[in-house]
Amino acid sequence: FARGEVRQAYDLMAARVAAAPSPDDLAFAGDLAAALGRAAEAGRYYTLAQAAWISDAPDPGRLARFLAERNRRPVDALRLATEAASTRRDIFTLDALAWAQYRNAMLDEAQATIAQALAIGTRDRTIRAHAETIARARAAASRSARSGGR
């Protein structure tokens, strides 16, 4: 996938999830199907990943991050992430909460939450990319507010 060989990556991932599906692998298979323009197939993989995070490998924080990253059910993602963050304050749960806040246009809250996730100096690319996107969105919203929404 990193080399741009989406079809080959999809074939490998489809075989992997057929043998031993995990929520992460199902989500990635959905991403690959979406990249190939197979929306219905991607939706099926995403539904299976969601179900696996609920029943097979319960992890509300991971489910929230999955939903928020793919902009699926953003209100549910926010609820799940908020619940997860009430008991877990690790960088991945905080990132899930920040991204769910971002998807729900709660930009100030998202900035504060992602700052907590970054506070230990993580090098995680996804968390850093989320932080950059949140910062850009806040800056754009600030510019728009200063110009009167024009």
XYZ file of all heavy atoms in Angstrom, residues 1 9-34 41-53 56-57 62 66 69-70:
351
model
N 0.833 -1.191 0.000
C 0.000 0.000 0.000
C 0.874 1.250 0.000
O 0.602 2.197 -0.714
C -0.954 -0.014 1.195
C -1.841 1.193 1.279
C -2.832 1.400 0.339
C -1.681 2.122 2.281
C -3.658 2.516 0.397
C -2.498 3.240 2.363
C -3.482 3.438 1.412
N -2.137 -4.821 -2.268
C -2.349 -4.708 -0.822
C -3.741 -5.205 -0.459
O -3.919 -5.920 0.540
C -2.163 -3.262 -0.370
N -4.722 -4.843 -1.270
C -6.085 -5.301 -1.022
C -6.167 -6.828 -1.081
O -6.774 -7.453 -0.205
C -7.065 -4.685 -2.026
C -8.434 -5.290 -1.899
C -9.294 -4.860 -0.905
C -8.823 -6.339 -2.728
C -10.540 -5.446 -0.752
C -10.066 -6.926 -2.576
C -10.915 -6.481 -1.593
O -12.137 -7.071 -1.427
N -5.564 -7.425 -2.105
C -5.602 -8.887 -2.237
C -4.983 -9.567 -1.019
O -5.533 -10.545 -0.496
C -4.882 -9.336 -3.510
C -5.640 -8.955 -4.783
O -6.852 -8.641 -4.691
O -5.009 -8.944 -5.858
N -3.861 -9.054 -0.547
C -3.205 -9.610 0.641
C -4.087 -9.449 1.883
O -4.237 -10.382 2.678
C -1.853 -8.934 0.873
C -0.757 -9.267 -0.131
C 0.441 -8.349 0.084
C -0.344 -10.729 -0.006
N -4.671 -8.275 2.036
C -5.498 -8.020 3.219
C -6.783 -8.829 3.169
O -7.239 -9.337 4.198
C -5.803 -6.525 3.349
C -6.465 -6.139 4.652
S -5.622 -6.683 6.166
C -4.080 -5.849 6.047
N -7.379 -8.986 1.999
C -8.606 -9.787 1.872
C -8.333 -11.230 2.281
O -9.146 -11.856 2.981
C -9.149 -9.709 0.447
N -7.199 -11.751 1.878
C -6.830 -13.120 2.270
C -6.596 -13.198 3.777
O -7.013 -14.157 4.434
C -5.586 -13.570 1.519
N -5.979 -12.179 4.322
C -5.702 -12.162 5.765
C -6.985 -12.126 6.581
O -7.132 -12.866 7.552
C -4.819 -10.970 6.090
C -4.429 -10.873 7.533
C -3.431 -9.759 7.722
N -3.196 -9.507 9.110
C -2.069 -9.050 9.581
N -1.071 -8.786 8.764
N -1.937 -8.815 10.863
N -7.929 -11.264 6.205
C -9.168 -11.177 6.990
C -10.050 -12.398 6.771
O -10.837 -12.740 7.650
C -9.954 -9.866 6.746
C -9.144 -8.656 7.156
C -10.434 -9.745 5.328
N -9.905 -13.054 5.633
C -10.661 -14.287 5.420
C -10.172 -15.385 6.363
O -10.962 -16.210 6.830
C -10.533 -14.746 3.968
N -8.882 -15.371 6.661
C -8.293 -16.402 7.528
C -8.473 -16.089 9.011
O -8.814 -16.967 9.799
C -6.810 -16.560 7.208
N -8.218 -14.854 9.398
C -8.259 -14.485 10.819
C -8.543 -12.997 10.952
O -7.627 -12.195 11.122
C -6.935 -14.833 11.497
N -9.807 -12.611 10.867
C -10.131 -11.182 10.894
C -9.924 -10.560 12.269
O -10.300 -11.126 13.287
C -11.612 -11.144 10.499
C -12.137 -12.485 10.881
C -10.991 -13.444 10.720
N -9.299 -9.407 12.274
C -9.210 -8.581 13.475
C -9.872 -7.246 13.140
O -9.985 -6.890 11.958
C -7.748 -8.349 13.872
O -7.126 -7.432 12.976
N -10.317 -6.506 14.127
C -10.955 -5.223 13.827
C -10.054 -4.295 13.015
O -10.498 -3.679 12.052
C -11.260 -4.635 15.198
C -11.299 -5.791 16.133
C -10.337 -6.800 15.570
N -8.773 -4.220 13.393
C -7.846 -3.352 12.652
C -7.706 -3.789 11.198
O -7.700 -2.952 10.294
C -6.463 -3.355 13.316
C -6.430 -2.544 14.598
O -6.983 -1.433 14.622
O -5.840 -3.036 15.577
N -7.566 -5.090 10.989
C -7.418 -5.593 9.625
C -8.683 -5.371 8.801
O -8.612 -5.031 7.619
C -7.052 -7.078 9.628
C -5.621 -7.327 10.087
O -4.825 -6.366 10.167
O -5.298 -8.496 10.368
N -9.831 -5.570 9.413
C -11.091 -5.322 8.706
C -11.209 -3.847 8.319
O -11.638 -3.531 7.200
C -12.283 -5.744 9.572
C -12.447 -7.257 9.747
C -13.361 -7.559 10.927
C -12.982 -7.879 8.458
N -10.823 -2.965 9.227
C -10.868 -1.530 8.930
C -9.927 -1.189 7.775
O -10.295 -0.444 6.858
C -10.511 -0.724 10.170
N -8.717 -1.748 7.811
C -7.756 -1.482 6.748
C -8.234 -2.060 5.421
O -8.079 -1.426 4.363
C -6.378 -2.023 7.124
C -5.290 -1.620 6.169
C -5.118 -0.301 5.778
C -4.429 -2.575 5.650
C -4.114 0.072 4.892
C -3.421 -2.221 4.756
C -3.263 -0.896 4.377
N -8.838 -3.237 5.458
C -9.399 -3.813 4.234
C -10.479 -2.878 3.670
O -10.565 -2.686 2.447
C -9.974 -5.197 4.501
N -11.270 -2.295 4.550
C -12.267 -1.321 4.111
C -11.627 -0.100 3.483
O -12.096 0.407 2.455
N -10.549 0.375 4.079
C -9.840 1.530 3.515
C -9.301 1.208 2.119
O -9.378 2.037 1.208
C -8.678 1.948 4.421
C -9.132 2.486 5.768
O -10.321 2.846 5.921
O -8.278 2.537 6.674
N -8.764 0.009 1.977
C -8.237 -0.395 0.671
C -9.353 -0.537 -0.359
O -9.214 -0.093 -1.504
C -7.457 -1.704 0.799
C -6.153 -1.609 1.604
C -5.624 -3.003 1.907
C -5.125 -0.772 0.873
N -10.469 -1.129 0.048
C -11.611 -1.238 -0.858
C -12.099 0.147 -1.272
O -12.405 0.380 -2.451
C -12.737 -2.047 -0.203
N -12.156 1.071 -0.315
C -12.573 2.446 -0.630
C -11.599 3.091 -1.613
O -12.021 3.773 -2.557
C -12.675 3.266 0.653
N -18.321 -2.475 -0.777
C -17.442 -3.450 -0.137
C -16.739 -2.825 1.072
O -16.615 -3.448 2.128
C -16.416 -3.941 -1.151
C -15.623 -5.130 -0.695
C -14.746 -5.681 -1.822
O -14.951 -5.320 -3.004
O -13.872 -6.467 -1.486
N -16.299 -1.591 0.931
C -15.675 -0.887 2.052
C -16.657 -0.792 3.208
O -16.298 -1.041 4.364
C -15.232 0.510 1.614
N -17.901 -0.468 2.904
C -18.929 -0.382 3.934
C -19.127 -1.689 4.669
O -19.307 -1.702 5.893
N -19.079 -2.784 3.944
C -19.212 -4.103 4.598
C -18.041 -4.363 5.542
O -18.235 -4.826 6.667
C -19.312 -5.212 3.546
C -20.692 -5.319 2.907
C -20.859 -6.589 2.083
N -19.927 -6.676 0.965
C -20.109 -6.098 -0.224
N -21.196 -5.382 -0.441
N -19.216 -6.235 -1.184
N -16.837 -4.081 5.082
C -15.669 -4.269 5.951
C -15.764 -3.361 7.186
O -15.456 -3.773 8.301
C -14.367 -3.978 5.211
C -13.874 -5.117 4.362
C -13.690 -4.961 2.992
C -13.555 -6.354 4.926
C -13.212 -6.005 2.204
C -13.074 -7.403 4.149
C -12.908 -7.217 2.791
O -12.434 -8.255 2.019
N -16.181 -2.125 6.976
C -16.299 -1.194 8.100
C -17.343 -1.675 9.111
O -17.139 -1.587 10.321
C -16.654 0.207 7.606
C -15.557 0.913 6.845
C -15.862 1.912 5.934
C -14.208 0.596 7.025
C -14.870 2.583 5.231
C -13.212 1.253 6.331
C -13.549 2.253 5.435
O -12.574 2.927 4.743
N -18.447 -2.201 8.610
C -19.483 -2.730 9.500
C -18.953 -3.910 10.306
O -19.211 -4.024 11.510
C -20.726 -3.135 8.684
O -21.238 -1.960 8.033
C -21.802 -3.740 9.565
N -18.187 -4.779 9.648
C -17.585 -5.920 10.354
C -16.564 -5.452 11.391
O -16.509 -5.984 12.506
C -16.931 -6.880 9.355
C -17.885 -7.665 8.463
C -17.116 -8.387 7.356
C -18.689 -8.662 9.298
N -15.768 -4.471 11.059
C -14.785 -3.936 12.008
C -15.488 -3.346 13.225
O -15.108 -3.606 14.371
C -13.918 -2.867 11.328
N -16.524 -2.584 12.966
C -17.314 -1.974 14.043
C -17.865 -3.053 14.966
O -17.750 -2.954 16.192
C -18.467 -1.210 13.388
C -18.850 0.054 14.036
C -19.837 0.780 13.136
O -19.499 1.210 12.042
N -21.051 0.905 13.599
N -18.454 -4.068 14.388
C -19.030 -5.155 15.182
C -17.957 -5.866 15.993
O -18.179 -6.227 17.158
C -19.750 -6.145 14.271
N -16.786 -6.053 15.401
C -15.695 -6.733 16.111
C -15.210 -5.896 17.288
O -14.903 -6.436 18.351
C -14.550 -7.029 15.150
N -15.136 -4.560 17.135
C -14.710 -3.713 18.244
C -15.760 -3.666 19.349
O -15.452 -3.352 20.488
C -14.382 -2.305 17.778
C -12.930 -2.122 17.452
C -11.865 -2.429 18.253
C -12.380 -1.598 16.256
N -10.696 -2.129 17.611
C -10.973 -1.608 16.376
C -12.934 -1.109 15.089
C -10.127 -1.153 15.389
C -12.084 -0.653 14.106
C -10.698 -0.682 14.251
N -16.169 -8.743 19.715
C -15.021 -9.651 19.768
C -13.838 -9.091 20.548
O -13.149 -9.816 21.252
C -14.545 -10.008 18.356
C -15.614 -10.735 17.565
O -16.567 -11.243 18.187
O -15.503 -10.781 16.331
N -13.563 -7.823 20.357
C -12.412 -7.183 21.000
C -12.848 -5.815 21.504
O -12.457 -4.788 20.960
C -11.265 -7.061 20.010
N -10.717 2.609 20.594
C -10.339 2.248 19.228
C -11.533 2.367 18.295
O -11.403 2.808 17.155
C -9.780 0.829 19.180
C -8.507 0.612 19.966
C -7.290 1.233 19.315
N -6.976 0.668 18.035
C -6.173 -0.359 17.821
N -5.596 -0.951 18.824
N -5.947 -0.780 16.607
N -11.778 4.813 15.080
C -12.176 4.265 13.788
C -13.343 5.063 13.199
O -13.309 5.478 12.040
C -12.553 2.788 13.960
C -13.363 2.220 12.829
C -12.760 1.872 11.633
C -14.728 2.030 12.966
C -13.512 1.338 10.592
C -15.480 1.505 11.931
C -14.869 1.160 10.746
N -12.184 8.761 12.403
C -11.267 8.875 11.262
C -11.984 8.689 9.934
O -11.601 9.304 8.945
C -10.142 7.844 11.386
C -9.104 8.226 12.400
C -7.994 7.212 12.544
O -8.185 6.026 12.192
O -6.924 7.605 13.019
N -13.000 7.878 9.922
C -13.727 7.623 8.674
C -15.010 8.443 8.582
O -15.792 8.266 7.678
C -14.009 6.127 8.547
C -12.721 5.390 8.220
C -12.710 3.997 8.728
N -11.417 3.374 8.505
C -10.410 3.425 9.377
N -10.540 4.070 10.530
N -9.260 2.837 9.112
